[in-house]
Amino acid sequence: MSINNKEFFQKLSDAVVEMDEDEVITLSNEIVAQGIDAYDAIDQGLSHGMEKAGKLFEEEEYFIPELLLCSDAMYAGLDVLKPHIKVNAHGVKHKVVIGVVEGDTHDIGKNLVKIMLETSGFEVFDLGRDIPPQQFVDKAKEVNADIIALATLMTTTMDGMDEVVHLLKKENIKDRYKVVIGGGPISQSFADKIGADGYAVNAADAVKLARRLVSDPSEVAV
Protein backbone atom coordinates (compact mmCIF):
# COMPACT_ATOMS: atom_id res chain seq x y z
CA MET A 1 0.00 0.00 0.00
CA SER A 2 1.38 3.41 -0.93
CA ILE A 3 1.92 6.26 1.51
CA ASN A 4 -0.83 8.10 -0.37
CA ASN A 5 -3.34 5.39 0.50
CA LYS A 6 -2.28 5.41 4.15
CA GLU A 7 -2.78 9.15 4.28
CA PHE A 8 -6.27 8.78 2.78
CA PHE A 9 -7.20 6.15 5.36
CA GLN A 10 -5.83 8.27 8.22
CA LYS A 11 -7.80 11.32 7.04
CA LEU A 12 -10.92 9.15 6.76
CA SER A 13 -10.39 7.84 10.28
CA ASP A 14 -9.83 11.36 11.63
CA ALA A 15 -12.95 12.66 9.89
CA VAL A 16 -15.05 9.97 11.58
CA VAL A 17 -13.58 10.84 14.98
CA GLU A 18 -14.18 14.54 14.31
CA MET A 19 -17.82 13.79 13.37
CA ASP A 20 -17.28 15.48 10.00
CA GLU A 21 -19.80 13.71 7.76
CA ASP A 22 -19.18 15.99 4.77
CA GLU A 23 -15.44 15.34 4.89
CA VAL A 24 -16.02 11.60 5.14
CA ILE A 25 -18.20 11.69 2.02
CA THR A 26 -15.66 13.83 0.14
CA LEU A 27 -12.76 11.53 1.05
CA SER A 28 -14.78 8.40 0.25
CA ASN A 29 -15.67 9.72 -3.19
CA GLU A 30 -12.03 10.61 -3.82
CA ILE A 31 -10.97 7.09 -2.78
CA VAL A 32 -13.43 5.63 -5.29
CA ALA A 33 -12.30 8.04 -8.02
CA GLN A 34 -8.65 7.06 -7.52
CA GLY A 35 -9.42 3.36 -7.59
CA ILE A 36 -8.21 2.74 -4.04
CA ASP A 37 -9.49 -0.51 -2.52
CA ALA A 38 -12.85 0.23 -0.88
CA TYR A 39 -12.58 -2.70 1.55
CA ASP A 40 -9.26 -1.38 2.86
CA ALA A 41 -10.76 2.09 3.18
CA ILE A 42 -13.59 0.70 5.33
CA ASP A 43 -11.25 -1.43 7.42
CA GLN A 44 -8.35 0.99 7.91
CA GLY A 45 -10.32 4.23 7.65
CA LEU A 46 -13.95 4.10 8.76
CA SER A 47 -13.63 1.14 11.13
CA HIS A 48 -10.41 2.49 12.62
CA GLY A 49 -12.11 5.83 13.25
CA MET A 50 -15.06 4.19 15.03
CA GLU A 51 -12.66 2.19 17.19
CA LYS A 52 -10.98 5.45 18.22
CA ALA A 53 -14.37 7.05 18.89
CA GLY A 54 -15.31 4.04 21.02
CA LYS A 55 -12.16 4.45 23.10
CA LEU A 56 -12.92 8.15 23.61
CA PHE A 57 -16.38 7.08 24.79
CA GLU A 58 -14.89 4.58 27.23
CA GLU A 59 -12.56 7.31 28.54
CA GLU A 60 -15.57 9.62 28.95
CA GLU A 61 -14.15 12.20 26.56
CA TYR A 62 -17.05 11.45 24.20
CA PHE A 63 -20.63 10.76 25.21
CA ILE A 64 -23.65 9.26 23.44
CA PRO A 65 -24.37 12.32 21.21
CA GLU A 66 -20.76 12.41 19.95
CA LEU A 67 -20.69 8.66 19.38
CA LEU A 68 -23.90 8.85 17.35
CA LEU A 69 -22.47 11.65 15.19
CA CYS A 70 -19.33 9.57 14.61
CA SER A 71 -21.48 6.62 13.55
CA ASP A 72 -23.50 8.87 11.21
CA ALA A 73 -20.24 9.93 9.55
CA MET A 74 -19.09 6.32 9.31
CA TYR A 75 -22.35 5.16 7.71
CA ALA A 76 -22.20 8.05 5.24
CA GLY A 77 -18.81 6.75 4.14
CA LEU A 78 -20.12 3.19 3.96
CA ASP A 79 -22.91 4.31 1.63
CA VAL A 80 -20.27 5.62 -0.78
CA LEU A 81 -17.72 2.81 -0.47
CA LYS A 82 -19.80 -0.36 -0.10
CA PRO A 83 -20.98 -0.53 -3.77
CA HIS A 84 -17.33 -0.49 -4.86
CA ILE A 85 -16.11 -3.41 -2.75
CA LYS A 86 -14.83 -6.33 -4.77
CA VAL A 87 -16.82 -9.30 -3.53
CA ASN A 88 -14.85 -12.51 -3.11
CA ALA A 89 -17.41 -15.18 -3.95
CA HIS A 90 -16.19 -18.75 -4.23
CA GLY A 91 -19.20 -20.81 -5.33
CA VAL A 92 -20.90 -22.18 -2.23
CA LYS A 93 -21.29 -19.54 0.44
CA HIS A 94 -20.73 -20.38 4.08
CA LYS A 95 -23.52 -19.15 6.33
CA VAL A 96 -23.15 -16.94 9.39
CA VAL A 97 -25.84 -16.05 11.92
CA ILE A 98 -24.85 -12.81 13.64
CA GLY A 99 -26.34 -10.61 16.32
CA VAL A 100 -25.85 -8.61 19.50
CA VAL A 101 -26.73 -10.59 22.63
CA GLU A 102 -29.77 -9.90 24.78
CA GLY A 103 -29.59 -6.75 26.88
CA ASP A 104 -27.23 -4.87 24.57
CA THR A 105 -28.40 -2.46 21.85
CA HIS A 106 -24.96 -1.36 20.58
CA ASP A 107 -24.66 -2.61 17.00
CA ILE A 108 -22.07 -0.47 15.18
CA GLY A 109 -19.34 -3.09 15.54
CA LYS A 110 -21.69 -5.90 14.61
CA ASN A 111 -22.76 -4.03 11.49
CA LEU A 112 -19.16 -3.60 10.39
CA VAL A 113 -18.49 -7.31 10.84
CA LYS A 114 -21.63 -8.11 8.84
CA ILE A 115 -20.57 -5.89 5.94
CA MET A 116 -17.05 -7.30 5.81
CA LEU A 117 -18.27 -10.90 6.02
CA GLU A 118 -20.71 -10.29 3.17
CA THR A 119 -18.06 -8.72 0.99
CA SER A 120 -15.77 -11.67 1.73
CA GLY A 121 -18.28 -14.12 0.29
CA PHE A 122 -20.24 -15.23 3.36
CA GLU A 123 -24.03 -15.37 3.48
CA VAL A 124 -24.97 -13.44 6.61
CA PHE A 125 -28.22 -13.68 8.56
CA ASP A 126 -28.36 -10.61 10.79
CA LEU A 127 -30.68 -11.02 13.77
CA GLY A 128 -30.03 -7.47 14.95
CA ARG A 129 -29.50 -6.44 18.56
CA ASP A 130 -30.84 -7.44 21.98
CA ILE A 131 -31.26 -11.06 20.83
CA PRO A 132 -32.17 -13.88 23.28
CA PRO A 133 -29.78 -16.87 23.27
CA GLN A 134 -32.42 -19.33 22.00
CA GLN A 135 -33.03 -17.19 18.93
CA PHE A 136 -29.41 -17.62 17.81
CA VAL A 137 -29.75 -21.39 18.15
CA ASP A 138 -33.10 -21.53 16.36
CA LYS A 139 -31.87 -19.42 13.45
CA ALA A 140 -28.67 -21.45 13.09
CA LYS A 141 -30.72 -24.65 12.83
CA GLU A 142 -33.19 -23.04 10.43
CA VAL A 143 -30.58 -21.90 7.89
CA ASN A 144 -28.04 -24.66 8.56
CA ALA A 145 -25.39 -22.11 9.54
CA ASP A 146 -21.67 -22.77 9.69
CA ILE A 147 -20.90 -20.00 12.19
CA ILE A 148 -22.78 -18.24 15.00
CA ALA A 149 -21.26 -14.81 15.66
CA LEU A 150 -22.10 -13.11 18.95
CA ALA A 151 -21.30 -9.51 19.87
CA THR A 152 -21.59 -7.30 22.94
CA LEU A 153 -20.05 -4.11 24.27
CA MET A 154 -21.28 -4.63 27.83
CA THR A 155 -19.84 -6.79 30.59
CA THR A 156 -23.35 -7.26 32.00
CA THR A 157 -24.52 -9.13 28.90
CA MET A 158 -21.53 -11.43 28.37
CA ASP A 159 -23.37 -14.30 30.05
CA GLY A 160 -25.69 -14.41 27.03
CA MET A 161 -22.78 -15.72 24.97
CA ASP A 162 -22.17 -18.47 27.50
CA GLU A 163 -25.87 -19.36 27.37
CA VAL A 164 -25.79 -19.79 23.57
CA VAL A 165 -22.95 -22.30 23.88
CA HIS A 166 -24.79 -24.01 26.75
CA LEU A 167 -27.96 -24.37 24.68
CA LEU A 168 -26.02 -25.87 21.76
CA LYS A 169 -24.39 -28.40 24.09
CA LYS A 170 -27.73 -29.16 25.76
CA GLU A 171 -29.21 -30.06 22.36
CA ASN A 172 -26.06 -32.02 21.42
CA ILE A 173 -25.52 -29.87 18.33
CA LYS A 174 -22.46 -27.82 19.36
CA ASP A 175 -20.28 -29.73 16.89
CA ARG A 176 -22.43 -28.47 14.00
CA TYR A 177 -21.50 -24.81 14.47
CA LYS A 178 -18.47 -22.66 15.13
CA VAL A 179 -19.24 -20.01 17.75
CA VAL A 180 -17.23 -16.80 17.49
CA ILE A 181 -17.49 -13.86 19.87
CA GLY A 182 -16.31 -10.26 19.97
CA GLY A 183 -16.80 -6.81 21.45
CA GLY A 184 -15.13 -4.39 23.84
CA PRO A 185 -15.05 -6.49 27.06
CA ILE A 186 -14.45 -9.83 25.32
CA SER A 187 -11.12 -11.66 25.37
CA GLN A 188 -9.63 -14.93 24.18
CA SER A 189 -9.60 -16.17 27.77
CA PHE A 190 -13.36 -15.59 28.01
CA ALA A 191 -13.86 -17.43 24.72
CA ASP A 192 -11.86 -20.35 26.10
CA LYS A 193 -13.83 -20.26 29.35
CA ILE A 194 -17.25 -20.58 27.72
CA GLY A 195 -16.16 -23.00 25.00
CA ALA A 196 -16.45 -20.63 22.03
CA ASP A 197 -14.42 -21.51 18.94
CA GLY A 198 -12.75 -18.15 18.54
CA TYR A 199 -12.50 -14.49 19.46
CA ALA A 200 -12.04 -11.52 17.12
CA VAL A 201 -10.76 -8.14 18.26
CA ASN A 202 -12.22 -6.21 15.30
CA ALA A 203 -14.14 -6.63 12.04
CA ALA A 204 -11.11 -7.48 9.90
CA ASP A 205 -9.97 -10.07 12.44
CA ALA A 206 -13.48 -11.55 12.48
CA VAL A 207 -13.31 -12.18 8.74
CA LYS A 208 -9.88 -13.84 9.01
CA LEU A 209 -11.14 -16.02 11.85
CA ALA A 210 -14.29 -17.01 9.97
CA ARG A 211 -12.28 -17.98 6.92
CA ARG A 212 -9.96 -20.15 9.00
CA LEU A 213 -12.82 -21.89 10.77
CA VAL A 214 -14.66 -22.85 7.59
CA SER A 215 -11.53 -23.82 5.65
CA ASP A 216 -9.96 -25.90 8.41
CA PRO A 217 -12.43 -27.15 11.04
CA SER A 218 -9.61 -28.31 13.29
CA GLU A 219 -8.26 -24.80 13.72
CA VAL A 220 -10.05 -22.81 16.38
CA ALA A 221 -7.45 -20.40 17.71
CA VAL A 222 -7.20 -16.82 16.57
Side-chain angles (χ1 to χ4, degrees), residues 73 94 113 159 193 215:
H94 293 286
V113 173
D159 286 346
K193 177 183 176 183
S215 63

Side-chain angles (χ1 to χ4, degrees), residues 188 192 197-199 209 212-213 218-222:
Q188 184 61 52
D192 295 338
D197 296 288
Y199 152 71
L209 173 61
R212 286 203 297 270
L213 290 175
S218 66
E219 183 173 357
V220 296
V222 177

Side-chain angles (χ1 to χ4, degrees), residues 175-193:
D175 59 344
R176 295 186 197 173
Y177 313 102
K178 297 299 183 184
V179 178
V180 299
I181 63 175
I186 307 304
S187 64
Q188 184 61 52
S189 61
F190 180 72
D192 295 338
K193 177 183 176 183

Side-chain angles (χ1 to χ4, degrees), residues 98-111 126-132 136 149-153 157:
I98 191 171
V100 180
V101 296
E102 188 172 21
D104 191 347
T105 57
H106 302 88
D107 63 358
I108 293 172
K110 181 268 295 175
N111 290 343
D126 184 5
L127 297 179
R129 54 192 183 180
D130 192 19
I131 304 302
F136 285 101
L150 312 170
T152 189
L153 279 179
T157 55

Side-chain angles (χ1 to χ4, degrees), residues 123-220:
E123 184 176 2
V124 181
F125 299 85
D126 184 5
L127 297 179
R129 54 192 183 180
D130 192 19
I131 304 302
Q134 187 65 53
Q135 195 170 332
F136 285 101
V137 176
D138 292 343
K139 190 65 177 181
K141 290 192 291 185
E142 176 192 332
V143 302
N144 194 24
D146 299 285
I147 294 173
I148 301 173
L150 312 170
T152 189
L153 279 179
M154 300 168 61
T155 56
T156 53
T157 55
M158 290 166 63
D159 286 346
M161 296 177 166
D162 190 11
E163 180 63 16
V164 171
V165 176
H166 172 74
L167 288 170
L168 292 171
K169 290 180 177 177
K170 184 178 179 182
E171 295 188 33
N172 293 316
I173 54 173
K174 173 63 183 69
D175 59 344
R176 295 186 197 173
Y177 313 102
K178 297 299 183 184
V179 178
V180 299
I181 63 175
I186 307 304
S187 64
Q188 184 61 52
S189 61
F190 180 72
D192 295 338
K193 177 183 176 183
I194 68 171
D197 296 288
Y199 152 71
V201 69
N202 55 38
D205 195 40
V207 172
K208 293 174 186 175
L209 173 61
R211 284 174 174 165
R212 286 203 297 270
L213 290 175
V214 295
S215 63
D216 182 1
S218 66
E219 183 173 357
V220 296

